[in-house]
Amino acid sequence: MPADHQYDLVIVGAGTGGIPCAVEAAAGGARVLLVEKDARIGGTLHTTGGHMSAAGTRRQRERGIEDSVQAHLADIERISGGTARSDLVELAARHAPETIDWLDDQGFEFAPESPRIVYGHEPYGAPRTHYGRDAGLSILAVLQRLLDEQLAAGRVELWLGSTAIGLTAPPGGPPGVTVLRDGVDDIEVTAPAVVLATGGFASDKALFEEIEGAALVSAAHPTSTGDGLVIAREAGARIAGRGRYLPTFGGLPHPTTPGKAYHGERPLLIAAERLPWEIYVDRAGRRFVAEDEPSIDRKERALAASTDGAFWTVFDDRARLESVPMVIGWSPEDVLAKAGVRAGVHKAGTLAELAALAGIAPDGLAATVERYNAAAAAGYDAEFGRTHLPAPIAEPPFFAMENHGITLITFAGVDVDGGLRVRRTDGTAAEGVYAIGELIGAAATCGNSFCGGMLVTPALTFGRLLGRRLAARRGNGDPHAAGGG
């Protein structure tokens, strides 16, 4: 290998975890190669809301919010039901305040209402969700500036448009990656340490359905195709977190692309944001959960357990006109205009006609609406215990909006030990090979649940910790630089 391709550290993936790892390692004196298959850095920061959870931050104290790492850990235990990796959760939560304060020191532009309690996932017991004015791009703005400084100093080399297509992890020898650079040249790169930070695989249908065992309707970032998982598995890495997948509750089908959801038109299905006038039914026309259930976690589990992932919100013209708008950015007039035009939005003069258009069993839908209307008249829902019963579904035209449990993140991922070293199928650690970010799977830090901010925060935190420690240990021959401690 040419002398100018000698590195102390190779990082694959210039996103939420990879960039801070590169920045910290370079600041510690390491020469770093950062490989990114996209034409730009940032990865999912271009699409994520950028929610970060941390307890005991400076910003919380300034706003009189009392919180602690112990309270944060207790909330994660409660929400996840104890299904997350306790060692990694503890590491992330303990260092999370430092991460948020570091962003603050770097000029991060917080949204003025942040931190707050967010209800899009099961809520925390304290306002500890921090985010920026421009969602994930606020984080990227900080990371871009810091990376530019290291690029200018010559301590980081960045290869854009370059995909890692192979990983070697020989016992006792330095690891290496094979990089397809600019889509043309296969280049073998070795270094004392390799960090895989390529994200999840929710934009690869075949890989997702193989590993997560569920039908994929994706709203994930297009580069989330599992490159790091594929090369790690081919090199003998174990996959952890299988069986922990949980869908996000509901998204409209993409207007032009089957198998995708368009998250920009998010239906308002969270009771804390909007009380429902509609009912939810599956293909058979049956309800499966109380539509006003306050726990989005219970709704997600009911969707996963009782349906094939698809469901429809069914309502009448009175609900269209009188309820809070059902989709972000849509007016009641938009619902009328999009019916029969936009994919998944249907309108008909009768329930039977509506069922035929939407693909719902007509007899099942008719029976369900009859029972629901009786419950609305009685003021009591004996089937599911719904308490918000504002009106029957009786005034035509009738509407159905198709929804599906959608995937933004993947729960399974490359197994790592407490020091973030990749573990092989026999449980041994691959020396000098590490993984961070969504590549290790959401199950590692969220378990079988959505713990708000426990993907972005660990990615940033583990990246920074690992970068610092790999830089500090590069000169002493220690291949076991850990993320903990």
Side-chain angles (χ1 to χ4, degrees), residues 34-51:
L34 183 58
V35 177
E36 171 55 51
K37 75 172 182 179
D38 202 354
R40 61 182 182 177
I41 68 167
T44 58
L45 290 172
H46 290 281
T47 52
T48 180
H51 287 184

Side-chain angles (χ1 to χ4, degrees), residues 156-409:
V156 176
E157 187 174 341
L158 175 62
W159 291 1
L160 292 173
S162 302
T163 304
I165 58 174
L167 171 70
T168 56
V177 291
T178 303
V179 179
L180 184 62
R181 190 172 187 191
D182 299 323
V184 178
D185 298 321
D186 288 3
I187 300 175
E188 301 282 344
V189 183
T190 60
V194 170
V195 176
L196 302 176
T198 56
F201 52 93
S203 284
D204 187 298
K205 186 176 189 297
L207 188 61
F208 178 87
E209 293 181 358
E210 174 208 341
I211 292 177
E212 298 286 27
L216 176 63
V217 175
S218 177
H221 194 68
T223 59
S224 296
T225 53
D227 298 3
L229 185 144
V230 169
I231 63 173
R233 184 166 65 170
E234 289 175 348
R238 181 165 63 190
I239 306 303
R242 291 177 185 265
R244 297 289 174 86
Y245 171 72
L246 191 65
T248 296
F249 194 78
L252 297 176
H254 196 281
T256 60
T257 309
K260 297 283 187 179
Y262 181 47
H263 207 53
E265 293 178 316
R266 181 170 68 87
L268 285 168
L269 303 176
I270 299 168
E273 295 179 339
R274 173 188 166 273
L275 287 172
W277 284 55
E278 69 277 11
I279 58 173
Y280 309 155
V281 301
D282 62 13
R283 294 185 192 277
R286 298 172 300 206
R287 294 170 67 209
F288 56 92
V289 73
E291 293 82 3
D292 63 349
E293 164 60 57
S295 168
I296 191 64
D297 182 74
R298 292 194 187 102
K299 281 186 171 182
E300 287 161 344
R301 294 185 192 283
L303 176 65
S306 307
T307 76
D308 64 355
F311 69 102
W312 287 259
T313 56
V314 175
F315 53 98
D316 66 0
D317 207 44
R318 180 179 174 185
R320 176 183 70 87
L321 292 168
E322 296 187 26
S323 74
V324 172
M326 299 180 184
V327 179
I328 289 177
W330 288 20
S331 67
E333 291 72 27
D334 288 329
V335 175
L336 199 61
K338 291 175 185 291
V341 178
R342 197 244 192 255
V345 182
H346 308 282
K347 173 177 72 73
T350 68
L351 288 172
E353 292 170 333
L354 183 71
L357 286 172
I360 305 168
D363 292 345
L365 180 60
T368 293
V369 171
E370 183 178 357
R371 288 194 300 274
Y372 174 77
N373 288 351
Y380 176 66
D381 175 20
E383 283 190 278
F384 294 99
R386 173 171 169 168
T387 59
H388 182 70
L389 300 160
I393 298 173
E395 297 185 13
F398 300 99
F399 299 84
M401 288 189 189
E402 182 181 348
N403 282 267
H404 200 284
I406 63 173
T407 297
L408 290 166
I409 60 172

Side-chain angles (χ1 to χ4, degrees), residues 54 60 77 87 99 108 112-113 119 125 140 153 182 202 204 215 226 228 257 262 294 312 318 339 344 380 403 423:
Q60 283 180 310
E77 177 79 9
D87 57 340
T99 297
F108 180 75
E113 70 277 11
Y119 293 92
L140 181 56
D182 299 323
D204 187 298
T257 309
Y262 181 47
W312 287 259
R318 180 179 174 185
Y380 176 66
N403 282 267
R423 284 198 284 221

Side-chain angles (χ1 to χ4, degrees), residues 130-180:
H130 304 69
Y131 53 93
R133 289 179 178 272
D134 200 12
L137 294 178
S138 294
I139 300 172
L140 181 56
V142 172
L143 298 183
Q144 177 79 68
R145 177 178 56 79
L146 295 174
L147 179 60
D148 286 346
E149 292 173 0
Q150 298 301 333
L151 290 169
R155 289 188 285 266
V156 176
E157 187 174 341
L158 175 62
W159 291 1
L160 292 173
S162 302
T163 304
I165 58 174
L167 171 70
T168 56
V177 291
T178 303
V179 179
L180 184 62

